Structure formats: C-alpha cells, structure tokens
Amino acid sequence: MVQEVNKSPKQSREGSPWKGLGAVIAKEMADHLTSARMRILEILIILTAAGTSYAALQKLVGSGSQNEFLYLELFTTAREPLPAFVGFLAFLVPLVAISLVFDAINGEFNQRTLSRVLSQPIYRDALLLGKFLGAFATLALVLTAIWLLVFGVGLIGLGVPPTGQEVARILLFLLVTVIYGGFWTALGLWFSTRFRQPATAALGSIAVWLFFTAFWEILVSLFAQGLRPIQYGLLEEVLARAKLEMFLSRISPNTLFVESTIALLKPAVRSLGLVLPFDLQGAILGAPLPVSQSLLMIWPHITGLLAVTIMIFALAYVSFQRQEIRV
Amino acid sequence: MDYIIETKGLTKKYGEFTAVDSLNLQVEPGEIFGILGPNGAGKTTTILMLLGLTEPSSGEVNVMGFDPSRQPLSVKSQAGYIPDQVGFYDDLTARENLAYIARLNGIPRLESDQRIERALGKVGLSDVGSKPVGTFSRGMRQRLGVADVLIKQPRLIIMDEPTQGLDPELVRGFLDLTRELAEEGITILISSHLLHQVQEICDRVGLFHRGRMVLQGTVAELARNVLGAGYHVRLRANGKAGNFAEDLRRIAGVVDVKYQAPDSYTLVAAEDLRSEAARAIVEAGGQLLSLDIESLSLDDIYNAYFEEVNHGPRGQ
C-alpha cells in the first residue's frame, strides 16, 4: 500500500499480502468457465483448431511430405484461404485474453462489489493478482485443451506417433503461447484498473492489439525508410535498414511470439536475424537444430515477453493500489 | 472506559480539499452510534479510514485496539462493512455470494455452510438463498448485505446510508433488524443523511458538517443544548375572542409560544407541559380541540444549529 510518512515507519503492514489469493483465483476461474463469454470463445477456438488442423492435414497427406517433423507441420501449414494454426493463434490469443479481463476491476466497481470485497480481511494485492492468475489459468487451460485437440487430430490423421523431439517442441510452443497470452492478460487488467468503463477498457486493449497486428509493421517500414534511407544501394545501407527494421519490429509482442513459434516449430530455422552468405559457411542447409539450440535462439524473446508482462502488471498494481475505492 | 472506536485529530485531505477535519470520535462497545449529516459532510471518508480502506492524512485511529492502516486485516476480520448501495455478483446466488465472502475470511467449509444458513435465517432470506442475486429487490439486497457481514461474526458493524432508497416499511424492518443485532452485543455505527429515519435507534449521534463533527451526544442532550428546550407541544383550541397565546405564555416553564394558524399553537418547553397547557385553556374559558407532543427531531436540531452558526445566536 502507498504509505504516507507516518508515526512509525518501521512497522510494516501485518499479515501476508496473499491471504485470500486462493479464494479469488477459484472464484475467478469458476466465473470464467461458466460465463456466456467463455462459451462463445470456446466455439471460436474449437472451430479454429479443427478448421486449421483439418486443412493442414489435407495438404500434408495430399503432398506426401517427406519432412521428418510431420507433427510440427500440422501447426504451421496453411491452406488458402485459412492461415496456419500458429497464425490464427497470434491474433486469437490476445482477443481471448482481453475478453477475459477487460472488466476485471472496473466491473467490480460498477457492480459496487469492490468495497464489500476489500472490506474483507485481504489486501488489494490478493485481489489483483487473483484476477490476473484466474484469467491466466483459464487461458492456459483453454490453450492446453486446443493443443490437445490438434495433437489428437494429428494422431488420428497422420497415423504416426510423434517423436520425442516433436513432443518437446510443441510443449514449448504451448508454453510460449501461454506466456504470450499472459502479456495480453496483464495489459487488459491494467486498462481495467485505468478506465472506469469496461467498454473503454476493452476498446483500449483492442486498439493496442490492432495497432501491433495491423499497423506496427507499416510504421516500422516507414521509420526504417525515413531513418535509414538507401541512397547508393550499398550493402551497408541495406543492412542498416534491415537491422533497424528488425529491432523496431521486435518491440511488438506479436513479432516476438511469431518468431518464437517459427524457431520452435521449424527446426531447420537456425537464425531469426539476418543471415549473410558467410554465416552459412560450414552449415548443412536444411539440417534440423536440436531443441536446446532452438530454445537458445528464442530465449531473449521469451525473456522479453515475460519482462514486459511483469512491467505492465506492475503498472496495473500501482494504479490499483492508489485508487480510491469509494464509488 | 475502553472505546471500540476512537479517533484523535483524524484528518483526511484530498489535495486542497479537507474531507474530514480533526475528528475526535469515541464509540462505546454495544451502542448504536449514528454519524449524521448531509451528503459530502465526510461521513463515508471517515468510515473508509476506520476500515483502513483509505489512508488518513494525519491523526490517530484505533478500532478494537488496532490501527486500521497498519493492521487492516485484524480490523477487517472483526468489523463488518455494509457500503452505500451494497453490490453483489448478480449471476451468483445469495449463498454463493456469501460463500465467497466466507472463503475470503478463511472460514472452513463446514463452518461456513452453517454460518451462511444462520445469517440467511436471521435476515429472512433462507428460502430465496438459491436464487441469483440479480433477481433480488432493493430491500432484499439490503438484508443480504446484513447477512454478508454476519458471516464473519463481527464485533462491530459499520453501515453507510443503509436506509437510502428503501420505502418506509422496509426502513422500519431494517431498523428493527439493526436493533436486534445491537441487542446481541454488536456495536453498530450508522451513517446517514436521513436524520429522522435513524435517530430513533441511535443511542448517541454525531452531527457532521463540512468534515467536522459539530455536535455529539444523545438526541435529548442535543435538543437541550441546541434548542434550549426539548419539547414541542402542539395544541388546537377555540371558544374565545382573541387568542390564547398570552394565557399559554403564563404557564411556568414555557419558553416560547407560537401562534401558527387560527386556533393552532405550538408551545416550546423544557419539559412535558401538556396537562398544564390543557388546564390553562380550560381556565381561560376555551375548548381544547387537540393536544399532542411532537417527538424531537434531529432535523430541527440540525437546522436550528446551523441557523445559529450562520446567523449568530437566536435571541433567547
């Protein structure tokens, strides 16, 4: 809590900030899992999973692919007009996350339940973290369910069991997806403490999502063109622009997610950055990397996603702790 | 005397605005104390500080032996709070709403089921306990609010504007319920701007005005201090040319006589002078048509007090 300079600064506040956390998480998850909102999302998600994996399956079986990582292709193969499963997730996960939390705090305000809940012997910390973890766990549950669904479709459709490598990679893929969802959950939660109207919070979160999904790439190339103009067509110029573009583009959590999934699901990818011909000296093209090496490649991405998630949660925390609860 | 609530110089400032100004409040165990005053007088802010939901700018607070801003959990586990227009999760049933509160209080499952039933029984909501709260009327919600604080078996209940928006019959029922709780030994602090509604159940009241508590005591004490005289006798009489004002004024103990309308008088006195007034009318050869005594109204006290404050003391 925001403590003012008061008579006994040594004395810290009593008890654990996590008292009641379990109760809040349980209530939040129960609410989410039974809500009409969740039903709609579930239908959307199951359609996506079934649709994309079926489409991918058709294409894989039809092409007689020789790839040794058939299972992974199930996630990344697209058949027009549908995007691949990963592509779908990149924009579906934020939507699900936002729709779970956009009214988390302001909803309690508007229902006038906040002061009643906070007059119980718990701290605000427990309420906010409980809201976050409740939504996060729901999201993880849903994603795991879809993941299992696609996995099952693969088992039936492909008729071959996945190798240990593949299982490890798609498990990591699930983990990265959940972390990506965590970022949007934190963002939605922050907006729900900042804006008193749930509609404003939802719109704000969706605006951020739209910004990164649709406009960021355009802005990035505009910036890159403006800041690193190619005047003479030199290699250095081209490189400098590409580097700047990459740097800017990785500010977007979407880019971090998509690059991570590419590294995980396409074992042959050995760099997410620029690859110059001399980098490839001695490399066996098309040879897959071990899981640990792919993971190493996206380690900064995961760290970045986690860091920005924690940062945004901290913003939500500060804004919530400072809020006057009177209606 | 150990007070259950005690504040010393409690002050809360929002920027330049002083919501509560050096408040010294003492509430004794087992009493019903009314914090009364118009909207914006600092009542809710005071309550939030008592519960540790808002930090005081300065001053000391002691609630049941704890400092709410340092030991909020201890205070909140023994003090129930019914906020202004109490809200519930509309999709959940009454029982589910209470069960959540029980879990937040760390009450074990078996124990909590019993407490929920007892609380719902107490407020008369047992048979609708499994209906979603969204279907409840205003009065039912208010009673559920009481059940909600009973779950933690509190020593102290703080109610903010509990009668606002209830029709008179529901107010009656609600006040009776409050009385019952007080008889069980629970100390109750009620805030309200509807002075006349809560005055009758309050053992003592504090009148708030612009962040300060300007008057404190029992209603009778306040009446004596502010109005000078506590009793208003209203009577109607006729049968005489002219009026009875002079006859009435001669009664010993009468402070003031107002001639309000033809045949209608109001007598202000320090004690109940009904029989003396009746005798005076009869002796003056008049016919007494009606005679009754007005109960003391906090509204009158409040208005009179501010008339005095704003326009200087009345000539008495």
Side-chain angles (χ1 to χ4, degrees), chain B residues 90-141:
Chain B
D90 286 346
D91 300 336
L92 301 185
T93 67
R95 284 200 176 82
E96 285 166 345
N97 266 293
L98 298 189
Y100 181 43
I101 295 304
R103 277 201 301 276
L104 289 178
N105 278 283
I107 299 166
R109 186 62 190 272
L110 265 176
E111 172 76 19
S112 93
D113 285 349
Q114 287 169 6
R115 287 197 195 182
I116 290 170
E117 288 315 313
R118 221 177 304 143
L120 284 176
K122 180 94 197 153
V123 300
L125 289 176
S126 292
D127 43 345
V128 288
S130 300
K131 283 193 181 156
V133 179
T135 63
F136 279 24
S137 68
R138 182 86 179 79
M140 287 158 86
R141 280 165 182 271

Short mmCIF file of all heavy atoms in Angstrom, two decimals, chain B residues 90-141:
data_model
loop_
_atom_site.label_atom_id
_atom_site.label_comp_id
_atom_site.label_asym_id
_atom_site.label_seq_id
_atom_site.Cartn_x
_atom_site.Cartn_y
_atom_site.Cartn_z
N ASP B 90 -24.35 -10.46 -9.45
CA ASP B 90 -25.73 -10.73 -9.83
C ASP B 90 -25.94 -12.14 -10.38
O ASP B 90 -27.03 -12.69 -10.25
CB ASP B 90 -26.20 -9.70 -10.86
CG ASP B 90 -26.46 -8.36 -10.21
OD1 ASP B 90 -26.53 -8.32 -8.97
OD2 ASP B 90 -26.56 -7.35 -10.93
N ASP B 91 -24.92 -12.70 -10.99
CA ASP B 91 -25.09 -14.04 -11.59
C ASP B 91 -25.04 -15.13 -10.53
O ASP B 91 -25.52 -16.24 -10.77
CB ASP B 91 -23.98 -14.31 -12.61
CG ASP B 91 -24.00 -13.28 -13.72
OD1 ASP B 91 -25.08 -12.71 -13.94
OD2 ASP B 91 -22.96 -13.05 -14.35
N LEU B 92 -24.43 -14.84 -9.40
CA LEU B 92 -24.31 -15.86 -8.36
C LEU B 92 -25.53 -15.82 -7.46
O LEU B 92 -26.19 -14.79 -7.32
CB LEU B 92 -23.05 -15.63 -7.52
CG LEU B 92 -21.72 -15.63 -8.26
CD1 LEU B 92 -20.57 -15.50 -7.28
CD2 LEU B 92 -21.54 -16.87 -9.09
N THR B 93 -25.81 -16.95 -6.81
CA THR B 93 -26.92 -16.98 -5.87
C THR B 93 -26.49 -16.30 -4.57
O THR B 93 -25.30 -16.02 -4.36
CB THR B 93 -27.33 -18.42 -5.54
OG1 THR B 93 -26.25 -19.03 -4.81
CG2 THR B 93 -27.60 -19.22 -6.79
N ALA B 94 -27.48 -16.05 -3.72
CA ALA B 94 -27.18 -15.41 -2.44
C ALA B 94 -26.17 -16.26 -1.66
O ALA B 94 -25.19 -15.75 -1.10
CB ALA B 94 -28.46 -15.23 -1.63
N ARG B 95 -26.40 -17.57 -1.65
CA ARG B 95 -25.49 -18.46 -0.91
C ARG B 95 -24.09 -18.41 -1.49
O ARG B 95 -23.10 -18.38 -0.74
CB ARG B 95 -26.01 -19.90 -0.95
CG ARG B 95 -27.17 -20.13 -0.02
CD ARG B 95 -27.39 -21.60 0.32
NE ARG B 95 -28.46 -21.71 1.29
CZ ARG B 95 -29.75 -21.69 0.97
NH1 ARG B 95 -30.10 -21.61 -0.30
NH2 ARG B 95 -30.68 -21.75 1.89
N GLU B 96 -23.99 -18.40 -2.82
CA GLU B 96 -22.66 -18.37 -3.44
C GLU B 96 -21.94 -17.07 -3.11
O GLU B 96 -20.74 -17.06 -2.87
CB GLU B 96 -22.77 -18.55 -4.95
CG GLU B 96 -23.07 -19.98 -5.37
CD GLU B 96 -23.51 -20.11 -6.81
OE1 GLU B 96 -23.87 -19.08 -7.44
OE2 GLU B 96 -23.53 -21.23 -7.30
N ASN B 97 -22.70 -15.98 -3.12
CA ASN B 97 -22.10 -14.70 -2.77
C ASN B 97 -21.54 -14.73 -1.36
O ASN B 97 -20.43 -14.27 -1.10
CB ASN B 97 -23.14 -13.58 -2.87
CG ASN B 97 -23.13 -12.88 -4.22
OD1 ASN B 97 -22.16 -12.21 -4.55
ND2 ASN B 97 -24.17 -13.06 -4.99
N LEU B 98 -22.30 -15.29 -0.43
CA LEU B 98 -21.85 -15.36 0.95
C LEU B 98 -20.69 -16.34 1.10
O LEU B 98 -19.77 -16.12 1.88
CB LEU B 98 -23.00 -15.76 1.87
CG LEU B 98 -24.20 -14.80 1.92
CD1 LEU B 98 -25.15 -15.21 3.03
CD2 LEU B 98 -23.76 -13.37 2.11
N ALA B 99 -20.74 -17.43 0.31
CA ALA B 99 -19.67 -18.43 0.41
C ALA B 99 -18.32 -17.82 0.01
O ALA B 99 -17.29 -18.13 0.60
CB ALA B 99 -20.00 -19.63 -0.48
N TYR B 100 -18.37 -16.95 -0.99
CA TYR B 100 -17.13 -16.28 -1.42
C TYR B 100 -16.56 -15.45 -0.28
O TYR B 100 -15.36 -15.49 0.01
CB TYR B 100 -17.44 -15.42 -2.65
CG TYR B 100 -16.26 -14.69 -3.23
CD1 TYR B 100 -15.02 -15.31 -3.38
CD2 TYR B 100 -16.38 -13.36 -3.67
CE1 TYR B 100 -13.95 -14.64 -3.93
CE2 TYR B 100 -15.32 -12.69 -4.23
CZ TYR B 100 -14.11 -13.33 -4.36
OH TYR B 100 -13.05 -12.66 -4.90
N ILE B 101 -17.44 -14.70 0.37
CA ILE B 101 -17.00 -13.88 1.50
C ILE B 101 -16.43 -14.76 2.62
O ILE B 101 -15.41 -14.45 3.22
CB ILE B 101 -18.19 -13.04 2.02
CG1 ILE B 101 -18.64 -12.04 0.96
CG2 ILE B 101 -17.82 -12.31 3.30
CD1 ILE B 101 -17.56 -11.11 0.46
N ALA B 102 -17.09 -15.90 2.85
CA ALA B 102 -16.60 -16.81 3.89
C ALA B 102 -15.20 -17.31 3.54
O ALA B 102 -14.32 -17.38 4.40
CB ALA B 102 -17.56 -17.99 4.04
N ARG B 103 -14.99 -17.63 2.27
CA ARG B 103 -13.66 -18.11 1.85
C ARG B 103 -12.62 -17.01 2.00
O ARG B 103 -11.50 -17.27 2.42
CB ARG B 103 -13.69 -18.60 0.41
CG ARG B 103 -14.19 -20.02 0.25
CD ARG B 103 -13.71 -20.62 -1.07
NE ARG B 103 -14.17 -19.84 -2.20
CZ ARG B 103 -15.37 -19.99 -2.76
NH1 ARG B 103 -16.19 -20.89 -2.29
NH2 ARG B 103 -15.72 -19.26 -3.79
N LEU B 104 -13.01 -15.77 1.66
CA LEU B 104 -12.05 -14.67 1.81
C LEU B 104 -11.69 -14.47 3.28
O LEU B 104 -10.62 -13.99 3.60
CB LEU B 104 -12.63 -13.37 1.24
CG LEU B 104 -12.73 -13.30 -0.28
CD1 LEU B 104 -13.36 -11.98 -0.71
CD2 LEU B 104 -11.37 -13.45 -0.93
N ASN B 105 -12.60 -14.83 4.16
CA ASN B 105 -12.33 -14.71 5.59
C ASN B 105 -11.62 -15.94 6.14
O ASN B 105 -11.38 -16.02 7.34
CB ASN B 105 -13.63 -14.48 6.37
CG ASN B 105 -14.04 -13.03 6.33
OD1 ASN B 105 -13.48 -12.21 7.05
ND2 ASN B 105 -14.98 -12.69 5.47
N GLY B 106 -11.37 -16.92 5.26
CA GLY B 106 -10.66 -18.11 5.69
C GLY B 106 -11.47 -18.99 6.63
O GLY B 106 -10.91 -19.68 7.47
N ILE B 107 -12.79 -18.97 6.48
CA ILE B 107 -13.64 -19.81 7.32
C ILE B 107 -13.73 -21.19 6.69
O ILE B 107 -14.03 -21.30 5.50
CB ILE B 107 -15.05 -19.19 7.45
CG1 ILE B 107 -14.93 -17.81 8.09
CG2 ILE B 107 -15.97 -20.09 8.25
CD1 ILE B 107 -16.18 -16.98 7.97
N PRO B 108 -13.48 -22.25 7.46
CA PRO B 108 -13.53 -23.59 6.88
C PRO B 108 -14.91 -23.94 6.33
O PRO B 108 -15.92 -23.40 6.78
CB PRO B 108 -13.19 -24.51 8.06
CG PRO B 108 -12.84 -23.65 9.19
CD PRO B 108 -13.10 -22.24 8.87
N ARG B 109 -14.93 -24.82 5.34
CA ARG B 109 -16.12 -25.13 4.57
C ARG B 109 -17.35 -25.47 5.42
O ARG B 109 -18.41 -24.87 5.28
CB ARG B 109 -15.78 -26.29 3.64
CG ARG B 109 -16.87 -26.63 2.65
CD ARG B 109 -17.13 -25.44 1.75
NE ARG B 109 -18.33 -25.64 0.97
CZ ARG B 109 -18.34 -26.26 -0.20
NH1 ARG B 109 -17.22 -26.69 -0.73
NH2 ARG B 109 -19.46 -26.43 -0.86
N LEU B 110 -17.17 -26.43 6.32
CA LEU B 110 -18.32 -26.90 7.12
C LEU B 110 -18.90 -25.77 7.95
O LEU B 110 -20.10 -25.52 7.98
CB LEU B 110 -17.86 -28.02 8.05
CG LEU B 110 -18.06 -29.44 7.51
CD1 LEU B 110 -17.50 -30.46 8.46
CD2 LEU B 110 -19.55 -29.68 7.24
N GLU B 111 -17.99 -25.10 8.63
CA GLU B 111 -18.35 -23.96 9.47
C GLU B 111 -19.08 -22.90 8.66
O GLU B 111 -20.08 -22.34 9.08
CB GLU B 111 -17.06 -23.40 10.09
CG GLU B 111 -17.21 -22.10 10.85
CD GLU B 111 -17.84 -22.29 12.20
OE1 GLU B 111 -17.82 -23.44 12.69
OE2 GLU B 111 -18.34 -21.30 12.77
N SER B 112 -18.57 -22.65 7.44
CA SER B 112 -19.13 -21.55 6.65
C SER B 112 -20.56 -21.90 6.21
O SER B 112 -21.42 -21.02 6.19
CB SER B 112 -18.23 -21.21 5.48
OG SER B 112 -18.59 -21.90 4.32
N ASP B 113 -20.81 -23.16 5.87
CA ASP B 113 -22.17 -23.54 5.49
C ASP B 113 -23.16 -23.23 6.62
O ASP B 113 -24.25 -22.70 6.38
CB ASP B 113 -22.24 -25.03 5.15
CG ASP B 113 -21.61 -25.31 3.79
OD1 ASP B 113 -21.35 -24.32 3.08
OD2 ASP B 113 -21.39 -26.48 3.46
N GLN B 114 -22.76 -23.57 7.83
CA GLN B 114 -23.63 -23.30 8.98
C GLN B 114 -23.86 -21.80 9.16
O GLN B 114 -24.98 -21.35 9.35
CB GLN B 114 -23.00 -23.85 10.26
CG GLN B 114 -23.05 -25.36 10.34
CD GLN B 114 -22.20 -25.89 11.47
OE1 GLN B 114 -21.66 -25.11 12.27
NE2 GLN B 114 -22.08 -27.20 11.55
N ARG B 115 -22.76 -21.06 9.08
CA ARG B 115 -22.88 -19.61 9.29
C ARG B 115 -23.77 -18.98 8.22
O ARG B 115 -24.53 -18.06 8.51
CB ARG B 115 -21.50 -18.95 9.24
CG ARG B 115 -20.68 -19.25 10.46
CD ARG B 115 -19.53 -18.28 10.56
NE ARG B 115 -18.52 -18.73 11.50
CZ ARG B 115 -17.43 -18.04 11.80
NH1 ARG B 115 -17.21 -16.88 11.22
NH2 ARG B 115 -16.56 -18.50 12.66
N ILE B 116 -23.64 -19.45 6.98
CA ILE B 116 -24.44 -18.88 5.89
C ILE B 116 -25.92 -19.12 6.17
O ILE B 116 -26.74 -18.21 6.05
CB ILE B 116 -24.03 -19.49 4.54
CG1 ILE B 116 -22.64 -18.98 4.15
CG2 ILE B 116 -25.03 -19.15 3.46
CD1 ILE B 116 -22.03 -19.70 2.97
N GLU B 117 -26.26 -20.36 6.57
CA GLU B 117 -27.67 -20.65 6.85
C GLU B 117 -28.18 -19.79 7.99
O GLU B 117 -29.28 -19.25 7.93
CB GLU B 117 -27.84 -22.14 7.19
CG GLU B 117 -27.69 -23.06 5.99
CD GLU B 117 -28.43 -22.56 4.75
OE1 GLU B 117 -29.60 -22.15 4.86
OE2 GLU B 117 -27.81 -22.53 3.66
N ARG B 118 -27.36 -19.67 9.03
CA ARG B 118 -27.79 -18.89 10.18
C ARG B 118 -28.00 -17.42 9.78
O ARG B 118 -29.01 -16.80 10.13
CB ARG B 118 -26.75 -18.98 11.29
CG ARG B 118 -27.36 -19.15 12.68
CD ARG B 118 -26.29 -19.31 13.74
NE ARG B 118 -25.39 -20.41 13.47
CZ ARG B 118 -24.06 -20.40 13.73
NH1 ARG B 118 -23.51 -19.32 14.24
NH2 ARG B 118 -23.31 -21.44 13.46
N ALA B 119 -27.07 -16.89 8.99
CA ALA B 119 -27.16 -15.49 8.60
C ALA B 119 -28.39 -15.26 7.71
O ALA B 119 -29.12 -14.28 7.90
CB ALA B 119 -25.89 -15.06 7.88
N LEU B 120 -28.61 -16.16 6.76
CA LEU B 120 -29.76 -16.01 5.87
C LEU B 120 -31.06 -16.11 6.68
O LEU B 120 -32.02 -15.38 6.43
CB LEU B 120 -29.74 -17.07 4.77
CG LEU B 120 -28.74 -16.84 3.65
CD1 LEU B 120 -28.76 -18.01 2.67
CD2 LEU B 120 -29.04 -15.55 2.90
N GLY B 121 -31.07 -17.02 7.66
CA GLY B 121 -32.25 -17.15 8.52
C GLY B 121 -32.51 -15.88 9.29
O GLY B 121 -33.64 -15.40 9.39
N LYS B 122 -31.46 -15.33 9.80
CA LYS B 122 -31.56 -14.11 10.62
C LYS B 122 -32.22 -12.96 9.85
O LYS B 122 -33.01 -12.21 10.40
CB LYS B 122 -30.14 -13.70 11.04
CG LYS B 122 -30.06 -12.47 11.87
CD LYS B 122 -30.05 -12.82 13.34
CE LYS B 122 -30.37 -11.59 14.15
NZ LYS B 122 -30.97 -11.90 15.43
N VAL B 123 -31.87 -12.83 8.58
CA VAL B 123 -32.41 -11.72 7.80
C VAL B 123 -33.64 -12.13 6.99
O VAL B 123 -34.16 -11.35 6.20
CB VAL B 123 -31.36 -11.10 6.85
CG1 VAL B 123 -30.19 -10.58 7.65
CG2 VAL B 123 -30.89 -12.11 5.82
N GLY B 124 -34.06 -13.39 7.16
CA GLY B 124 -35.29 -13.84 6.50
C GLY B 124 -35.14 -14.08 5.01
O GLY B 124 -36.07 -13.82 4.24
N LEU B 125 -33.99 -14.57 4.59
CA LEU B 125 -33.80 -14.82 3.15
C LEU B 125 -33.52 -16.29 2.87
O LEU B 125 -33.07 -16.64 1.78
CB LEU B 125 -32.63 -13.97 2.62
CG LEU B 125 -32.86 -12.47 2.51
CD1 LEU B 125 -31.59 -11.77 2.06
CD2 LEU B 125 -33.98 -12.15 1.53
N SER B 126 -33.81 -17.16 3.84
CA SER B 126 -33.45 -18.58 3.67
C SER B 126 -34.07 -19.19 2.42
O SER B 126 -33.42 -19.95 1.69
CB SER B 126 -33.92 -19.38 4.88
OG SER B 126 -33.17 -19.01 6.00
N ASP B 127 -35.33 -18.86 2.16
CA ASP B 127 -36.00 -19.55 1.05
C ASP B 127 -35.63 -19.00 -0.33
O ASP B 127 -35.97 -19.60 -1.34
CB ASP B 127 -37.53 -19.55 1.25
CG ASP B 127 -38.02 -18.20 1.74
OD1 ASP B 127 -37.17 -17.41 2.18
OD2 ASP B 127 -39.23 -17.94 1.67
N VAL B 128 -34.94 -17.85 -0.38
CA VAL B 128 -34.51 -17.36 -1.70
C VAL B 128 -32.99 -17.45 -1.82
O VAL B 128 -32.41 -16.90 -2.75
CB VAL B 128 -34.96 -15.91 -1.95
CG1 VAL B 128 -36.45 -15.87 -2.20
CG2 VAL B 128 -34.57 -15.00 -0.81
N GLY B 129 -32.37 -18.16 -0.87
CA GLY B 129 -30.91 -18.24 -0.85
C GLY B 129 -30.30 -18.85 -2.10
O GLY B 129 -29.14 -18.59 -2.42
N SER B 130 -31.07 -19.64 -2.83
CA SER B 130 -30.50 -20.28 -4.01
C SER B 130 -30.91 -19.59 -5.31
O SER B 130 -30.72 -20.11 -6.39
CB SER B 130 -30.94 -21.75 -4.06
OG SER B 130 -30.48 -22.40 -2.90
N LYS B 131 -31.46 -18.38 -5.16
CA LYS B 131 -31.79 -17.62 -6.37
C LYS B 131 -30.67 -16.63 -6.67
O LYS B 131 -30.03 -16.12 -5.74
CB LYS B 131 -33.08 -16.83 -6.14
CG LYS B 131 -34.32 -17.68 -6.23
CD LYS B 131 -35.55 -16.81 -6.33
CE LYS B 131 -36.79 -17.67 -6.40
NZ LYS B 131 -37.98 -16.96 -5.93
N PRO B 132 -30.45 -16.36 -7.95
CA PRO B 132 -29.42 -15.37 -8.29
C PRO B 132 -29.77 -14.00 -7.68
O PRO B 132 -30.95 -13.62 -7.68
CB PRO B 132 -29.46 -15.29 -9.82
CG PRO B 132 -30.29 -16.41 -10.28
CD PRO B 132 -31.08 -16.94 -9.13
N VAL B 133 -28.76 -13.30 -7.20
CA VAL B 133 -29.00 -12.03 -6.55
C VAL B 133 -29.56 -11.00 -7.54
O VAL B 133 -30.23 -10.05 -7.15
CB VAL B 133 -27.70 -11.52 -5.88
CG1 VAL B 133 -27.92 -10.18 -5.23
CG2 VAL B 133 -27.25 -12.53 -4.85
N GLY B 134 -29.30 -11.22 -8.83
CA GLY B 134 -29.83 -10.32 -9.85
C GLY B 134 -31.34 -10.17 -9.78
O GLY B 134 -31.89 -9.16 -10.20
N THR B 135 -32.02 -11.18 -9.24
CA THR B 135 -33.48 -11.12 -9.18
C THR B 135 -33.98 -10.46 -7.91
O THR B 135 -35.18 -10.33 -7.71
CB THR B 135 -34.07 -12.55 -9.23
OG1 THR B 135 -33.64 -13.26 -8.06
CG2 THR B 135 -33.61 -13.31 -10.44
N PHE B 136 -33.07 -10.05 -7.01
CA PHE B 136 -33.48 -9.51 -5.71
C PHE B 136 -33.93 -8.06 -5.80
O PHE B 136 -33.44 -7.29 -6.61
CB PHE B 136 -32.31 -9.59 -4.72
CG PHE B 136 -32.12 -10.94 -4.10
CD1 PHE B 136 -32.57 -12.09 -4.73
CD2 PHE B 136 -31.47 -11.08 -2.88
CE1 PHE B 136 -32.39 -13.33 -4.18
CE2 PHE B 136 -31.29 -12.32 -2.31
CZ PHE B 136 -31.74 -13.45 -2.96
N SER B 137 -34.86 -7.71 -4.92
CA SER B 137 -35.29 -6.32 -4.84
C SER B 137 -34.30 -5.53 -3.99
O SER B 137 -33.43 -6.11 -3.35
CB SER B 137 -36.67 -6.24 -4.21
OG SER B 137 -36.58 -6.61 -2.85
N ARG B 138 -34.48 -4.23 -3.97
CA ARG B 138 -33.60 -3.35 -3.21
C ARG B 138 -33.57 -3.74 -1.73
O ARG B 138 -32.52 -3.80 -1.11
CB ARG B 138 -34.11 -1.92 -3.40
CG ARG B 138 -33.32 -0.84 -2.74
CD ARG B 138 -32.18 -0.37 -3.62
NE ARG B 138 -31.45 0.69 -2.94
CZ ARG B 138 -30.56 0.49 -2.00
NH1 ARG B 138 -30.31 -0.74 -1.59
NH2 ARG B 138 -29.92 1.50 -1.43
N GLY B 139 -34.74 -4.01 -1.19
CA GLY B 139 -34.82 -4.36 0.23
C GLY B 139 -34.15 -5.69 0.54
O GLY B 139 -33.49 -5.84 1.57
N MET B 140 -34.30 -6.65 -0.38
CA MET B 140 -33.67 -7.95 -0.17
C MET B 140 -32.15 -7.82 -0.23
O MET B 140 -31.43 -8.45 0.55
CB MET B 140 -34.15 -8.94 -1.24
CG MET B 140 -35.57 -9.40 -1.03
SD MET B 140 -36.27 -10.02 -2.56
CE MET B 140 -35.75 -11.72 -2.52
N ARG B 141 -31.67 -7.00 -1.13
CA ARG B 141 -30.23 -6.79 -1.22
C ARG B 141 -29.69 -6.19 0.06
O ARG B 141 -28.63 -6.57 0.55
CB ARG B 141 -29.89 -5.81 -2.35
CG ARG B 141 -29.89 -6.43 -3.69
CD ARG B 141 -29.94 -5.37 -4.77
NE ARG B 141 -29.98 -6.02 -6.05
CZ ARG B 141 -28.89 -6.35 -6.73
NH1 ARG B 141 -27.70 -6.05 -6.28
NH2 ARG B 141 -28.98 -6.99 -7.87
#
